[in-house]
Amino acid sequence: MKFQQRFDHVIQSNAWFSKKDTVIVAVSTGVDSMTLLRLLERLPVDVRPRVIVAHVNHRLRQQSEAEAEYLRTYCHDHDLVFEGTVWPIETHPKTGIEAAARDFRYAFFGQLMRRYQATALVTAHHGDDQVETILMKLIRGGDLHQLVGIKRAQPFGGGLLVRPLLDYGKAELISFARAQHLTWYDDDTNQADDVLRNRIRHQVVPVLKQENPQLLAHVQHYADTLTAHLALSDAQLSADCRRITVRRSPLTGDVRGFQRLPDGVQQPVMRRFLQALGPVSEAHVTAATGLLTGQRPQGEIALGNHVRLVKSYDYFSVINETELPEKPRVQNKNVVVSRQWVDIAKQWAIRLVAAPQAVMTGSDRMRVVLQPSELPLSVRNVQPSDRIQLKQGGHKLVRRIMIDHKVPNAVRDQQQVVVSAAGEVLWVIGIQRSFRAPRSDGKTFELQLKPLN
Ligand SMILES: Nc1ncnc2c1ncn2[C@@H]1O[C@H](COP(=O)(O)OP(=O)(O)OP(=O)(O)O)[C@@H](O)[C@H]1O
C-alpha cells in the first residue's frame, strides 16, 4: 500500500474523528509534523476533518522565529487556520526545561481544544519514537503499563490525543517529505549523547535494526498486544476489587475475600485497591498484601501522607487521618420533643416528634413508645458497655453490632447512640434499633435524623 493510502486506512479504520469534526494538529515544523500535516491535508474529502494548525514558539533556538513565520505562511497558502503562541523567555525555568516546555505546549493545545470544540489533538510521534520510548522504560524499570509506550489514542482536553504515525519509521517520513518537496526545520539542539534517548537513538536502535529491519513493526505489535491484554486484566482486577470492597467510605475490604484470591493475583488487586486513593509504591503494596495474608488478626501499616491500612479481624480499611469525621462537637445532648432539629455531630441533626402520623421506615428514623420517666432522651458517643435488646431475646454489645456492620475500628468511637433518661440505649444511630416490646402505656414518638448541608 502506498504511503498516503496507509495513512488514510489508519484514519478510516480507527474512526478517531470524521469529516464533521475539527482537529488540532501539533506542528513543530520538524519533518515528522510537517509530514503529518501534509498527510491530513491529503485525506480523501469524505474523511478529512477541519484542521487547525497549532504551533508553540519555545524561544529555545535562534531559528524559532523563522520557523513560526514559515508555518504561518504555509497555513495561509494552504487555507489552514494557524494558531501560534510564544513561550516567554522570562518564564523558562533554570532546570527541567524540556518538561516545562511540554507542560506549556499541552496547556496551549488544551485551550485550543476547548476554543474550537475539537474532537482530537493529533501529534506526529512515530515508530522510532515508540521504540526509543519502550527501550527507555525497559531500562529504567517500573510498572508493566509503562511498556505500552506511546499510546495510539488517549483522553485529552475533552477529546482524544491521537498518534496516527506510530506505524511509520522516521526514514519513511523523510522520504515522503522529500517526495512532496516539503520544507522543514531540523532541531540540532537535541542531538547530544548525554541524554539517554539520544544514546538509544544513535547507538542502540541502529544495531537492533541491523539485526532485524522489521524492528519497528515488531515492537509496535508487542505494544498493541500488551495494550489489549492490559485492558482485559484491568477489567478483571477492577471486578476483583469490587468483589472484596464492602464499604466505600472509609474504603473497607473483606480480609477473607482477599485471602481467597489466587496467589499471583493478590498483589495486583491490592495495588488496584490502593490506587483508588492515589499513587502507591510497590513496597507499600507488598507490605499491605503481607499484612492481609499473614496470621495476625489485627495490625496496620502506614502508607504515607496520613494514610493507614488497618486490618481488624474480618475487615481491612484504608483510613485517611485528614478525612476522618471530626469528633462530635456535642458529647451529650438532650433531645426534647420539638419540631426543632438539634445538631448532634458535624454532619447530622436529630429531632423527636410526638405522635407521628404516617408510618415510615428507614435507617434515618426510629419509632418508639416512651413513658414520661424515660424523657428526655440524650445523644452521646458509644461507650464500651453499651448494649441493645434483641428481638429474639437477650442483648448484644453495641461494639459487636458495629463489627457486624463493618464500621471500621478507627471511626467506631465516634458512633453515636440515643439513650433514654433511664440509661437504656434505644438506637445505634443509623445502624440498629433496640427491640422494645409493643406497649400501650406510653406515648408514641419518632426520632428523625437528617444530614446537615
Ligand atoms: N513546538 C511545538 N509546536 C507544536 N507541536 C509540537 C511542538 N513540539 C512538538 N510538537 C508536537 O509533539 C510531537 C512530539 O514532539 P517531540 O518528540 O519533540 O516531543 P516529546 O517531548 O518527545 O513528546 P511529547 O510531546 O509527547 O512530550 C511532534 O511531532 C509535534 O506533533
Side-chain angles (χ1 to χ4, degrees):
M1 220 191 288
K2 287 229 188 75
F3 198 86
Q4 176 77 45
Q5 284 169 321
R6 273 168 61 203
F7 183 78
D8 299 349
H9 177 73
V10 169
I11 298 300
Q12 272 160 335
S13 58
N14 283 288
W16 291 310
F17 46 78
S18 70
K19 177 180 159 36
K20 295 195 294 292
D21 295 319
T22 298
V23 302
I24 312 288
V25 53
V27 181
S28 64
T29 69
V31 65
D32 314 335
S33 50
M34 286 308 296
T35 300
L36 171 65
L37 178 57
R38 177 57 58 90
L39 287 165
L40 285 167
E41 285 181 82
R42 289 171 40 122
L43 277 173
V45 276
D46 56 330
V47 285
R48 190 166 67 231
R50 178 181 182 220
V51 171
I52 311 291
V53 177
H55 174 74
V56 177
N57 175 352
H58 288 124
R59 288 258 162 93
L60 288 172
R61 291 180 274 156
Q62 290 241 306
Q63 68 197 31
S64 60
E65 309 303 324
E67 290 170 6
E69 216 27 63
Y70 163 70
L71 189 57
R72 182 189 296 279
T73 309
Y74 179 98
C75 289
H76 179 265
D77 295 347
H78 289 241
D79 221 4
L80 296 162
V81 178
F82 172 79
E83 284 288 355
T85 192
V86 175
W87 190 30
I89 292 186
E90 316 81 79
T91 59
H92 291 192
K94 288 210 167 50
T95 56
I97 194 111
E98 285 288 327
R102 182 177 302 130
D103 288 348
F104 183 85
R105 223 162 42 230
Y106 282 92
F108 175 61
F109 297 151
Q111 283 168 18
L112 293 180
M113 289 284 286
R114 284 184 288 279
R115 191 182 324 150
Y116 285 96
Q117 305 258 300
T119 312
L121 168 69
V122 192
T123 63
H125 295 91
H126 50 72
D128 281 273
D129 291 332
Q130 178 69 301
V131 171
E132 292 162 13
T133 303
I134 290 180
L135 287 173
M136 282 166 69
K137 306 277 183 192
L138 205 56
I139 292 165
R140 287 186 171 145
D143 188 87
L144 187 61
H145 286 80
Q146 296 187 352
L147 278 191
V148 301
I150 303 168
K151 296 191 176 110
R152 285 188 188 273
Q154 69 193 73
F156 177 78
L160 287 177
L161 165 52
V162 301
R163 283 85 172 219
L165 297 187
L166 290 179
D167 295 315
Y168 296 85
K170 176 97 178 178
E172 292 179 274
L173 298 181
I174 294 175
S175 15
F176 177 80
R178 286 208 177 109
Q180 289 283 316
H181 306 292
L182 289 178
T183 301
W184 69 85
Y185 290 80
D186 287 319
D187 177 0
D188 306 323
T189 56
N190 207 11
Q191 301 296 317
D193 275 0
D194 53 352
V195 180
L196 174 61
R197 183 180 287 276
N198 292 342
R199 287 199 294 281
I200 290 176
R201 180 177 303 170
H202 300 141
Q203 298 167 24
V204 180
V205 174
V207 180
L208 298 180
K209 280 183 179 167
Q210 248 171 21
E211 288 296 337
N212 191 338
Q214 290 303 306
L215 174 76
L216 264 44
H218 291 172
V219 170
Q220 187 54 46
H221 177 69
Y222 276 124
D224 288 336
T225 314
L226 184 58
T227 304
H229 278 271
L230 286 175
L232 271 180
S233 68
D234 282 351
Q236 181 63 44
L237 286 179
S238 297
D240 285 340
C241 264
R242 275 197 302 277
R243 210 168 305 123
I244 61 162
T245 302
V246 293
R247 203 179 155 116
R248 298 232 159 261
S249 179
L251 190 56
T252 301
D254 172 11
V255 170
R256 285 180 213 283
F258 183 79
Q259 289 171 343
R260 276 196 297 272
L261 293 168
D263 272 0
V265 177
Q266 289 172 334
Q267 189 120 343
V269 169
M270 179 49 69
R271 188 179 304 113
R272 173 58 56 93
F273 193 85
L274 296 178
Q275 273 168 348
L277 301 154
V280 56
S281 78
E282 274 316 288
H284 285 146
V285 173
T286 308
T289 307
L291 175 67
L292 294 197
T293 50
Q295 299 291 317
R296 282 167 49 216
Q298 295 199 75
E300 65 173 74
I301 52 168
L303 300 175
N305 275 340
H306 307 284
V307 178
R308 290 179 296 136
L309 182 123
V310 182
K311 176 184 181 186
S312 175
Y313 300 98
D314 293 346
Y315 301 105
F316 65 99
S317 301
V318 184
I319 310 279
N320 187 337
E321 312 273 1
T322 56
E323 285 171 9
L324 279 182
E326 275 172 28
K327 298 258 185 213
R329 274 176 280 150
V330 184
Q331 294 286 308
N332 214 330
K333 187 101 185 182
N334 282 353
V335 186
V336 293
V337 182
S338 160
R339 297 202 64 76
Q340 291 297 314
W341 291 94
V342 183
D343 292 10
I344 53 167
K346 192 170 169 244
Q347 294 147 331
W348 297 100
I350 198 167
R351 71 178 179 183
L352 184 65
V353 185
Q357 297 300 307
V359 177
M360 295 177 87
T361 53
S363 59
D364 62 344
R365 58 193 64 226
M366 174 183 181
R367 182 158 298 218
V368 60
V369 177
L370 295 168
Q371 309 260 328
S373 61
E374 292 179 299
L375 291 165
L377 304 184
S378 60
V379 176
R380 62 160 168 74
N381 283 6
V382 69
Q383 291 174 1
S385 58
D386 282 344
R387 54 184 59 216
I388 58 167
Q389 212 156 333
L390 301 174
K391 192 171 182 183
Q392 61 272 32
H395 289 87
K396 191 166 188 177
L397 281 174
V398 174
R399 266 192 306 139
R400 206 51 246 174
I401 290 166
M402 287 195 289
I403 293 172
D404 294 348
H405 282 80
K406 302 166 182 119
V407 178
N409 248 342
V411 290
R412 280 186 205 160
D413 64 344
Q414 289 164 38
Q415 176 65 45
Q416 296 193 302
V417 288
V418 179
V419 188
S420 74
E424 184 189 349
V425 175
L426 300 175
W427 191 19
V428 184
I429 293 179
I431 293 188
Q432 192 164 331
R433 306 167 181 92
S434 184
F435 175 72
R436 309 226 333 152
R439 47 213 276 187
S440 53
D441 59 343
K443 274 174 73 176
T444 305
F445 295 88
E446 189 171 78
L447 275 161
Q448 298 172 348
L449 192 66
K450 75 161 189 186
L452 291 173
N453 297 328

